[in-house]
Amino acid sequence: MWNEAAASDGSSSSFRELYGNIHGPAVLTGAAFALVALLISLWLILQHLRSYNDPAEQKWIIAVLFMVPVYASESIISLWNSKLSLACDILRNCYEAFALYAFGRYLVACLGGEQQVFHLLENRRRDDLSEQLLESQDKTHAHNRSRVYSFFCDPNALGENLYTIIKFGLVQYMILKTLCAFLALILEPFGAYGDGEFKWNYGYPYIAVVINFSQTWALYCLVKFYNATHEKLQAIRPLAKFISFKAIVFATWWQGVGIAIICQTGLLPKEGKVQNALQDFLICIE
């Protein structure tokens, strides 16, 4: 046992030495990438503010573009000082949730506002119902479908109710992501959060499951909205924007979970908040 303890202390000491050697260059590299991202995104935001001709759309574009300064600045601060990592992660998560909602509102603004979206979805519902009647389907059967069935299998049948469900899907993510972030902040001082620890007596795995479900549902709602409106959104090339935003939100989350799993399996050390530092460094680069 003494030999095992000595070996553990030796490996811990060698890790701290290695971490100290690479931490400085990692911070400088991350800062360089973060600075470039900040300059480009702030330039884009200023360009929109200088040509602020369409507030209904541009206010949401600016809100989405602010993801880059928020992600970059908080990631480099967290990478520089690991003691601030939890606070930075909470602020980053809260803004990410708002940005997803802002992206949905931007698509609505591009369609002319909520009333135009209601009109569009109702027209699609009528057209869909007419096609079913022409194909000699039972009208009563079409009307008696549950909303759950219609949402997954025939969203056009919901009409304007489809937008209500989609809007709720985006808002629930914004609320749950913020609540989970502050719950992590409350649990951390008591040692009950266990960042990256997949153990039943820590809060991290439960919060991860809730956020993953909430995020998946919100993004699925966006997919449904895209499918229902993409023909009217061709002018803004919605597919590229949708894929980019989905990658930012979904990929960064699973990137963090993947790093936590790697640390949990022992391929990377868990001490010194390595997983947070690696996640922050990758976000600075990305």
Side-chain angles (χ1 to χ4, degrees):
M1 290 181 63
W2 185 87
N3 290 335
E4 290 179 1
S8 177
D9 290 340
S11 62
S12 176
S13 177
S14 62
F15 163 73
R16 283 194 292 268
E17 182 179 352
L18 176 62
Y19 184 81
N21 291 335
I22 65 174
H23 181 254
V27 170
L28 291 176
T29 304
F33 278 93
L35 180 61
V36 173
L38 279 168
L39 292 175
I40 294 174
S41 58
L42 291 176
W43 179 80
L44 283 171
I45 291 169
L46 288 174
Q47 290 294 99
H48 276 285
L49 292 175
R50 288 178 60 186
S51 305
Y52 202 61
N53 303 320
D54 190 357
E57 292 183 20
Q58 287 178 288
K59 64 182 179 183
W60 300 115
I61 294 174
I62 292 171
V64 173
L65 286 175
F66 255 109
M67 279 189 75
V68 179
V70 169
Y71 268 54
S73 58
E74 292 177 6
S75 295
I76 194 61
I77 291 171
S78 177
L79 181 61
W80 169 64
N81 188 346
S82 62
K83 294 180 180 178
L84 302 173
S85 62
L86 183 61
C88 288
D89 191 51
I90 289 170
L91 292 173
R92 188 168 60 212
N93 288 338
C94 290
Y95 195 84
E96 176 197 293
F98 170 71
L100 183 63
Y101 174 76
F103 182 71
R105 294 293 298 178
Y106 163 66
L107 296 179
V108 172
C110 290
L111 291 167
E114 289 189 337
Q115 291 302 319
Q116 290 296 323
V117 173
F118 289 152
H119 184 67
L120 170 65
L121 294 177
E122 277 298 305
N123 285 340
R124 289 181 67 92
R125 184 185 69 82
R126 293 191 191 98
D127 293 343
D128 190 57
L129 184 59
S130 298
E131 289 179 6
Q132 291 177 10
L133 293 175
L134 288 173
E135 293 173 0
S136 302
Q137 290 191 14
D138 183 16
K139 184 177 180 179
T140 304
H141 174 71
H143 277 292
N144 287 337
R145 290 172 180 169
S146 69
R147 289 188 178 184
V148 175
Y149 173 86
S150 296
F151 180 75
F152 287 102
C153 301
D154 188 17
N156 289 336
L158 292 172
E160 64 181 42
N161 290 323
L162 175 63
Y163 177 70
T164 303
I165 297 172
I166 290 170
K167 189 175 181 179
F168 174 78
L170 297 179
V171 172
Q172 63 81 25
Y173 176 63
M174 186 169 60
I175 294 172
L176 282 177
K177 190 74 180 277
T178 303
L179 289 177
C180 286
F182 281 101
L183 181 60
L185 182 63
I186 294 170
L187 293 175
E188 181 66 17
F190 298 99
Y193 179 53
D195 192 11
E197 296 284 348
F198 292 91
K199 297 178 181 178
W200 67 269
N201 56 331
Y202 286 120
Y204 174 80
Y206 305 106
I207 290 175
V209 169
V210 171
I211 291 178
N212 184 50
F213 175 80
S214 176
Q215 186 182 80
T216 302
W217 177 248
L219 289 171
Y220 183 75
C221 287
L222 272 181
V223 171
K224 287 296 184 181
F225 187 73
Y226 169 78
N227 289 337
T229 61
H230 69 278
E231 293 176 357
K232 297 290 184 180
L233 290 170
Q234 287 304 315
I236 64 166
R237 292 181 295 175
L239 183 60
K241 290 179 172 62
F242 177 77
I243 292 175
S244 298
F245 193 85
K246 186 175 180 179
I248 291 170
V249 174
F250 212 67
T252 53
W253 161 253
W254 277 106
Q255 177 178 272
V257 173
I259 293 171
I261 293 173
I262 291 173
C263 290
Q264 188 70 27
T265 57
L267 295 176
L268 286 174
K270 292 189 288 184
E271 58 182 297
K273 294 200 171 183
V274 173
Q275 67 185 59
N276 290 336
L278 183 56
Q279 171 77 333
D280 292 329
F281 177 73
L282 291 175
I283 289 177
C284 286
I285 303 298
E286 292 157 357

